[in-house]
Amino acid sequence: MSPHVLILGGTTEARRLSAALAARPGTRVTTSLAGRVSRPGALDGEVRVGGFGGPDGLTAWLREERVDAVVDATHPFAAAITGNAAAAAAAARVPLLVLRRPGWQPGPGDRWHPVPSLEAAAAALPALGRRVFLTTGRLGLAAFAGLTDLSFLVRSVEPPGPPLPPHTHVLLARGPFTVADETALLREHRVDVLVTKDSGGAATSAKLAAARDLGLPVVVVRRPRLPEGVTALPDVPAVLERLDAALRAAPSPGGDGGPYSVDNRRRDPL
């Protein structure tokens, strides 16, 4: 039978993976998008938009669509989706692989302040600066709404909804960005502290180099932990290699074998 692979997420890595799998004769690939972005880019294979209704709904969908493997290629901060995927894959007895780009690492000259959450980032800001470049996305801005004495430059792909900090200028933009552009932006808005999530990847990393060159402090929100027993692979080639091995070894979905456990031998970087 032709294998059916479900990819969760619209990240750059998810798009590369869907293209690689769709190019394989006889492979059915479905990419599931949460629907938070109004104009997602083109994807190879089948595409579905919207939630599954929690882990039970996802389990039912995996069985109904006879999915042979799930690849969670969501954003590193999509903790709820990753948890649901782990529970559903175990219940449906299909292999789960998690694709996560490596996290950023501080280098010489960086003034990083790692924190565990957006709320912790908000608490750290008053001691670090007054003019904040906030690049954590449009969701979760409520954590900063109470900082009435600070000014915020918020960059987002789509307009954020309330609540927002009272002194906020919204910049709608999508990466990749150059170091020169980021440096000019920081200078133009007289930014004295940057806030970012540890998303990893090159598309939005230029801001870190610009902050380093200007000597600015950077508040870095650490990634949430993966579910117990779940590990991550760093790129598409590693996922394809492990996926092939898992599909060769796995019995048919719903068979008598126990829950699958794919030992990826590499923990999430942060």
Side-chain angles (χ1 to χ4, degrees), residues 116-241:
S117 65
L118 292 174
E119 290 75 16
L125 281 177
L128 296 174
R130 313 299 294 178
R131 302 182 67 86
V132 184
F133 184 24
L134 190 56
T135 65
T136 56
R138 64 187 178 94
L139 302 178
L141 297 182
F144 303 89
L147 297 175
T148 59
D149 294 334
L150 305 186
S151 297
F152 288 86
L153 173 64
V154 172
R155 184 163 67 193
S156 176
V157 174
E158 297 196 352
L164 299 174
H167 306 293
T168 296
H169 175 75
V170 177
L171 175 64
L172 299 181
R174 184 194 297 269
F177 307 102
T178 68
V179 175
D181 288 340
E182 296 289 63
T183 301
L185 183 68
L186 294 173
R187 285 176 171 159
E188 176 187 353
H189 292 271
R190 294 182 290 137
V191 169
D192 52 23
V193 58
L194 167 67
V195 182
T196 185
K197 291 178 177 178
D198 179 22
S199 301
T204 59
S205 64
K207 62 192 173 189
L208 299 174
R212 180 191 311 123
D213 292 342
L214 296 175
L216 302 183
V218 181
V219 179
V220 181
V221 182
R222 293 191 295 262
R223 296 179 176 188
R225 292 184 179 275
L226 290 170
E228 185 67 26
V230 174
T231 58
L233 291 165
D235 53 37
V236 170
V239 168
L240 290 173
E241 180 180 358

